[in-house]
Amino acid sequence: MKKYTDREIAAFGLDPARIPKHIAIVMDGNGRWATAKGLPRAAGHRAGMNSVKEIIRFASDIGVESLTVYAFSTENRKRPKEEIGILCGLLIEYMNREIDELHANGVRITSIGDLSWFPTAVQETVRAAEQKTANNPGMRFNIALNYGGRAELVRAMRLAFSETDEPDEDAISRNLYIADSGDVDLLIRTGGDVRVSNFLLWQIAYAELYFTDVKWPDFTPQELIKALKDFAGRERRFGGLK
Ligand code: FPP
């Protein structure tokens, strides 16, 4: 739930009228962060988990309506079994540890992607978190797990065609995993790569894109503030004229 007043938000150097409603993040660079410190990749994922916690809290406090993070792509299934196991373990640990605070803050958790691929323990933990928070009025926290943007579109189009022979854009939008989070306003990618990687392809049609070399474990609320200032300075025309 929004915690800060507009004055407090302005004190961060942010324009309260220009906070994106929907932020999406490709949380990249955990592995390289760890390797650069001579640590195992798992240490990077654990540090990344802490960034997730901090960023969710800050985004919720400043009144962001939806935050969607890429935690595991369909391509990530190609990683060694051991690393996949570590990521699954961290996800369960994170949910168990944070669910009460998220719930108390009114955050509503939804997973997007094909959860059925994951071990039962992951599925049960995620479903339980979704159910517990389903009626919460605060920020929507969407976590992409075994998610691919093209797969989401195929699914949405099939569903739309089952409703009507001639689906329009609204019919497709309605059948996306997180229809009520709407379009993405700001897409952030950490870790230095400048690509979209099959994330929310439909929803980013008019998103502002923000790329930073900062690796995900180092992406603090201060870094998010930088991205939000950059966003606030952009002129969004949605294809029209000024
Ligand atoms: C990218 O870093 C990150 C991932 C594939 C996983 C994201 C997972 C977390 C942030 C931790 C757990 C998440 C939650 C929600 C509890 P990378 O391994 O691709 O980094 P690299 O490009 O440096 O190898």
Side-chain angles (χ1 to χ4, degrees), residues 163-204:
E163 291 168 7
T164 163
D165 287 340
E166 288 186 40
D168 56 9
E169 291 189 11
D170 280 346
I172 296 182
S173 296
R174 270 201 308 277
N175 282 295
L176 298 170
Y177 283 117
I178 38 165
D180 36 4
S181 283
D183 281 350
V184 170
D185 299 301
L186 173 64
L187 173 70
I188 296 172
R189 181 176 187 134
T190 62
D193 285 329
V194 184
R195 53 176 170 260
V196 167
S197 297
N198 201 18
F199 194 38
L200 304 174
L201 295 178
W202 180 276
Q203 298 90 331
I204 62 169

Side-chain angles (χ1 to χ4, degrees), residues 27-33 41 45 48-49 52 69-72 76 79 83 87 90-91 94 141 143 216:
M27 312 181 288
D28 204 5
N30 292 347
R32 281 166 287 154
W33 180 91
R41 290 176 59 82
H45 293 313
M49 181 167 85
V52 172
V69 301
Y70 214 169
F72 196 91
N76 288 154
R79 294 197 177 188
E83 181 161 340
L87 285 168
L90 281 177
L91 183 66
Y94 174 83
F141 174 52
I143 175 162
W216 179 248

Side-chain angles (χ1 to χ4, degrees), residues 73-214:
S73 68
T74 45
E75 289 69 31
N76 288 154
R77 292 185 309 202
K78 290 183 234 155
R79 294 197 177 188
K81 265 209 167 92
E82 194 198 335
E83 181 161 340
I84 294 173
I86 286 167
L87 285 168
C88 290
L90 281 177
L91 183 66
I92 293 173
E93 182 184 325
Y94 174 83
M95 287 294 178
N96 288 337
R97 209 172 63 194
E98 300 300 327
I99 186 69
D100 288 338
E101 186 186 320
L102 291 168
H103 189 46
N105 284 330
V107 173
R108 178 171 167 193
I109 302 171
T110 308
S111 70
I112 63 173
D114 181 9
L115 208 55
S116 70
W117 177 84
F118 286 98
T120 321
V122 171
Q123 295 183 39
E124 286 175 357
T125 305
V126 172
R127 291 295 178 223
E130 289 176 334
Q131 277 161 22
K132 184 176 170 108
T133 61
N135 297 316
N136 282 351
M139 185 177 81
R140 300 206 51 157
F141 174 52
N142 308 308
I143 175 162
L145 293 166
N146 190 24
Y147 171 90
R150 288 184 176 174
E152 177 180 35
L153 278 174
V154 170
R155 177 180 173 277
M157 286 181 202
R158 284 188 181 143
L159 290 167
F161 271 108
S162 72
E163 291 168 7
T164 163
D165 287 340
E166 288 186 40
D168 56 9
E169 291 189 11
D170 280 346
I172 296 182
S173 296
R174 270 201 308 277
N175 282 295
L176 298 170
Y177 283 117
I178 38 165
D180 36 4
S181 283
D183 281 350
V184 170
D185 299 301
L186 173 64
L187 173 70
I188 296 172
R189 181 176 187 134
T190 62
D193 285 329
V194 184
R195 53 176 170 260
V196 167
S197 297
N198 201 18
F199 194 38
L200 304 174
L201 295 178
W202 180 276
Q203 298 90 331
I204 62 169
Y206 285 99
E208 296 296 330
L209 310 179
Y210 179 87
F211 298 96
T212 171
D213 288 338
V214 172

Side-chain angles (χ1 to χ4, degrees), residues 28-30 33 37 47-48 51 55 190 213-224:
D28 204 5
N30 292 347
W33 180 91
K37 290 185 149 44
S51 294
I55 293 299
T190 62
D213 288 338
V214 172
K215 296 176 184 70
W216 179 248
D218 289 330
F219 195 83
T220 54
Q222 209 50 49
E223 291 296 331
L224 179 58

